Each structure stands twice: as C-alpha cells, then as structure tokens.
Amino acid sequence: MDSIKSLERAVAVCTDCSLCETRIHSVPGEGPEKPDILFIGEGPGFHEDQIGRPFVGPSGKLLDDLLGLIGLARSDVYIANVVKCRPPNNRDPLPEEIKACRKYLDQQIRLLDPKVIVTLGRFSLIRFLPKETISKVHGQPRLWGHRYIFPMYHPAAALHQGNLRSVLEDDMRKLPELLQKIQTESTEVGTEVPEDVTPDPEQLKML
Ligand code: URA
Ligand code: SF4
C-alpha cells in the first residue's frame, strides 16, 4: 500500500472484517492525489455500496452543494470514510470493524498528506478527537500534528434535521479562511528560518 492506487486495489478485495460478507462494493474513496482537503465520512450507504463511490446519494448531493458555496468541485477534494464497506441497514459501524479498517484511513492520511481534514459526523470526529462532541466543536479548526482537523456535522444529519443545514453552510464558509491562514503560516515559517543560514554560535548564546 505505497500508493493511493494500490491502497484502492487492496480495499476492493479486503476481507478483514465481516462487512465484506454483506457489501456489494467496497468504497475506498476518491479525489486528487495531493488534495488540500480530505473529507472523511462515516461509511458507505445504500447508493455508495451499489457503485463503489463515496457520497453519491442524497448526502452526497448536499455535500456537493456545500462545496459549491465556497467555489469547490468534488474533484478538488478527496472524499473517504472511516469504514470502507457498508454496514448492513446503515447501522453504526462496530468497534471491531473500525479497528480492522483503520489501517486504510491511516495510510490515506499519510499518502494524501492533506492540510485540512474535515470530519463529517461523530464517528469521523472521534477518530481524531475522541473526547469531543460535534455540537461543541463543529466549525472550529483544531491543530492535529502538522495539520488541522475541522469538525462538521454529517450531511445526512441535515437531511433529517432541517435546521442543521444552515449550520453546515456556515461552517463550510469558514474553510477558505482556514486554508488562507495555513498558506500564510507556512510562508512565515519559511521566512523566519531560512534553510541555508547557519546561526552564529556567539549570537545564540545571547538569546
Ligand atoms: N454517508 C457517509 O458517511 N459516507 C458516504 O460515503 C455516504 C454517506
Ligand atoms: Fe476491509 Fe474495511 Fe471493508 Fe472491513 S470495512 S472488509 S476492514 S475494507
């Protein structure tokens, strides 16, 4: 699994948990190989299982609309899930399924190396910030290693609870500002520590 393509091939035939017995297609995820943003949902639903692609049902339509608000297309971002195969009847994924599938998400994060990980829903959030609740932290970027976690509600939640749609929209509109801030931060680091300058030991003693 040293490339996204080989990871996708491994997921397609994976039998490491019992979800492989009921899936039609596993859903590795899709998007560019070096995205700024990685969206992580919970797991494939009915429509995703049918065709092997993430967020292609009603939640996917809402996600597309939300991306459109900030001038992004689906092809600009990578979209993945915590578990890559559909839990029967869309039940919650079980701890042993999440554990068995974890290696794929870990590898996706490493290979894709996104600047921002947008977690969609509770299962995705607790993968990174296990003690947090969405109602408390949604829309608030959190530094995680050298990238940011940006928690959002799951689009499906807004399909059931209409008032969450505007919350999702407001949170999505904060993303461009975060990306801008990250660009500025990396420029500042670059100017403060020029790579080819060796500090003068005498000067260092005075600091
Ligand atoms: N919901 C998810 O969490 N993931 C999908 O891919 C589709 C719906
Ligand atoms: Fe493998 Fe993950 Fe599918 Fe389980 S959910 S069979 S671990 S790809």
Side-chain angles (χ1 to χ4, degrees):
M1 291 201 299
D2 52 356
S3 73
I4 281 291
K5 288 280 162 269
S6 63
L7 182 143
E8 289 171 0
R9 281 195 296 271
V11 168
V13 297
C14 177
T15 54
D16 290 353
C17 83
S18 56
L19 292 180
C20 73
E21 291 160 20
T22 45
R23 74 175 177 224
I24 298 174
H25 291 104
S26 49
V27 181
E30 64 184 26
E33 297 215 347
K34 288 288 165 219
D36 282 344
I37 313 175
L38 165 63
F39 283 83
I40 303 177
E42 178 177 321
F46 173 84
H47 300 276
E48 292 75 24
D49 183 48
Q50 297 283 318
I51 63 169
R53 295 181 53 210
F55 282 94
V56 289
S59 301
K61 168 76 179 72
L62 177 49
L63 183 58
D64 285 346
D65 291 349
L66 291 167
L67 286 169
L69 287 177
I70 56 169
L72 290 181
R74 165 179 288 252
S75 54
D76 295 321
V77 300
Y78 200 97
I79 304 178
N81 279 301
V82 171
V83 292
K84 315 301 189 197
C85 301
R86 182 194 182 204
N89 303 313
N90 297 348
R91 66 156 167 73
D92 286 348
L94 301 172
E96 60 264 32
E97 294 159 354
I98 295 173
K99 189 160 171 255
C101 213
R102 187 187 168 100
K103 55 186 173 290
Y104 297 124
L105 190 54
D106 286 347
Q107 191 72 334
Q108 283 174 318
I109 295 167
R110 198 179 66 78
L111 291 168
L112 297 166
D113 195 23
K115 297 184 171 77
V116 178
I117 293 174
V118 178
T119 59
L120 299 172
R122 187 163 54 98
F123 282 93
S124 182
L125 172 67
I126 60 174
R127 161 73 178 69
F128 302 95
L129 305 170
K131 296 202 177 82
E132 299 296 359
T133 53
I134 302 195
S135 55
K136 226 173 68 198
V137 298
H138 72 89
Q140 297 165 33
R142 187 76 62 89
L143 199 56
W144 188 78
H146 64 288
R147 39 187 137 247
Y148 282 89
I149 303 296
F150 187 80
M152 286 179 66
Y153 282 99
H154 195 289
L159 298 176
H160 301 122
Q161 264 176 281
N163 59 326
L164 282 183
R165 184 177 176 122
S166 62
V167 178
L168 270 168
E169 289 176 353
D170 289 348
D171 288 349
M172 186 64 95
R173 287 199 186 90
K174 293 180 190 156
L175 263 181
E177 196 185 322
L178 174 61
L179 284 170
Q180 186 99 46
K181 177 172 124 88
I182 294 169
Q183 295 298 0
T184 322
E185 277 172 358
S186 44
T187 324
E188 275 169 12
V189 174
T191 23
E192 275 171 22
V193 191
E195 269 172 31
D196 55 346
V197 175
T198 314
D200 174 352
E202 289 306 312
Q203 235 177 349
L204 282 178
K205 273 188 215 153
M206 292 159 55
L207 293 176

